[in-house]
Amino acid sequence: MKAWQFTGTHEPLALHELDEPVPGRGEVVIDVKAAGLCHSDVGVLEDEGWLALLPTLPVTMGHEVAGVVSALGEGVEGVAVGDRVGVCPTGPSGVAPGYGRNGGFQPRHVAPASDLVAMPEGLSFALAAAGTDAGMTSYHAVVTIGGLTAGQKVAIIGLGGLGQIGARVAVVKGADVTVCEINEDVWPLAEKIGASRVVKDIAELAGEDFDLVVDYAGFGTTTAQAIDAIRRDGTIVVVGMGRLEATINTRDVILKQARILGSNGGTMEDVAACYDLFASGAVEPQVTTVGFDDIPDGIARLAKGEVTGRLVALYE
């Protein structure tokens, strides 16, 4: 089978011929139906810092995987051939597809059975793939880490692939949501999601006593200015890594007893909760699809900022 593999930083993805995979004990083979493309894929290709996460090269990239179980390894229970599943990249195995093992940019993928999340009826493979990372990460930040409850006043910074999901989840959960997004071209999406207001900059919300601010941009200044927007005992959750440092006013952090929390990935329970919201139609993230042969071009488009929402490769 053919696989798009990472061979080294600053090198293009290479299309290699691999042997058909065979499941080991506790593993399954999945016929991949959809594999998500992510900005972290751009990072792997361009930044040497990612090499520490890649113990073996070459490796097939693609950490957002959904498909149909086609073979079972010894000792696998609770999974059957024909099951429609997504693969949680932060599952109990602790080995992420596309990093620690070959990922989804190949037509058949070996995964630990422990990392599988069942797809509910009505959920498309494209959304299932996106839900394993983008959905999980967005939901985890707002609900699991942020502790969002109905009636809260919430600000979402950034309406990209993650922020659009996080904002809609917050609306569905009963929050009053304000979106902060510098790109006015996507402001209509904020209205469609159900946000009560959209502004250009989090600085515009200073003194408005928000219960929760989730920063999906993470440009340093966005996190620092979020402190001005929260109430006493308010919470800021930082997800985005647009910049890897921020200068904050510690006086205001102390006087407000601000909670500044980081959010990284999520859990299988977050994936499952996201799947239910997607399948019900309550949350409908924007998805752009490409074919298997278009994966390298899709990653290049991500690098140039030319993709709206999430980008997913669909396999025939």
Side-chain angles (χ1 to χ4, degrees):
M1 65 178 182
K2 296 186 182 299
W4 288 110
Q5 294 202 305
F6 172 79
T7 60
T9 313
H10 308 306
E11 296 293 332
L13 285 180
L15 188 61
H16 289 163
E17 193 76 30
L18 303 184
D19 292 336
E20 292 284 337
V22 177
R25 182 173 182 82
E27 296 178 335
V28 305
V29 173
I30 296 170
D31 289 346
V32 180
K33 300 299 183 183
L37 284 66
C38 180
H39 280 282
S40 58
D41 297 327
V42 176
V44 170
L45 289 167
E46 296 182 352
D47 187 345
E48 292 87 349
W50 289 86
L51 290 173
L53 300 178
L54 308 172
T56 304
L57 295 181
V59 63
T60 303
M61 291 181 65
H63 57 275
E64 299 182 359
V65 186
V68 178
V69 175
S70 59
L72 306 178
E74 183 181 353
V76 172
E77 298 180 354
V79 181
V81 171
D83 283 355
R84 301 165 73 248
V85 297
V87 181
C88 179
T90 55
S93 75
V95 183
Y99 298 99
R101 67 175 191 270
N102 282 342
F105 292 169
Q106 59 187 50
R108 278 163 292 285
H109 169 69
V110 171
S114 61
D115 293 354
L116 303 183
V117 180
M119 290 173 53
E121 286 295 324
L123 180 64
S124 71
F125 286 112
L127 286 181
T132 61
D133 183 18
M136 172 187 71
T137 301
S138 304
Y139 183 94
H140 185 74
V142 171
V143 179
T144 307
I145 299 297
L148 179 143
T149 58
Q152 284 189 325
K153 189 175 178 181
V154 176
I156 300 293
I157 304 175
L159 202 64
L162 298 182
Q164 62 163 301
I165 298 174
R168 180 58 185 166
V169 167
V171 168
V172 171
K173 294 288 185 180
D176 178 12
V177 177
T178 297
V179 167
C180 310
E181 172 54 56
I182 193 170
N183 180 7
E184 295 185 25
D185 289 342
V186 299
W187 282 18
L189 177 60
E191 181 179 354
K192 180 180 178 182
I193 284 171
S196 61
R197 181 170 47 146
V198 58
V199 299
K200 202 172 184 70
D201 195 312
I202 182 66
E204 299 177 48
L205 305 182
E208 294 198 17
D209 291 339
F210 281 82
D211 299 293
L212 171 66
V213 177
V214 183
D215 186 359
Y216 288 105
F219 277 97
T221 54
T222 53
T223 304
Q225 291 163 351
I227 297 169
D228 298 328
I230 60 169
R231 62 171 171 80
R232 179 180 170 87
D233 298 316
T235 299
I236 299 165
V237 179
V238 185
V239 187
M241 295 191 292
R243 297 287 182 274
L244 298 184
E245 58 184 25
T247 300
I248 63 175
N249 186 326
T250 54
R251 179 200 65 190
D252 289 346
V253 171
I254 294 165
L255 293 180
K256 287 190 172 184
Q257 295 188 156
R259 300 169 69 245
I260 304 177
L261 306 174
S263 183
N264 176 22
T267 66
M268 293 182 66
E269 290 76 18
D270 293 325
V271 176
C274 207
Y275 276 6
D276 287 340
L277 289 171
F278 287 179
S280 71
V283 178
E284 298 179 284
Q286 287 186 317
V287 172
T288 301
T289 60
V290 296
F292 176 82
D293 293 337
D294 302 318
I295 286 174
D297 178 65
I299 293 175
R301 288 169 56 198
L302 281 175
K304 296 174 185 176
E306 296 176 352
V307 177
T308 299
R310 298 300 292 186
L311 187 61
V312 177
L314 292 180
Y315 301 178
E316 294 181 2

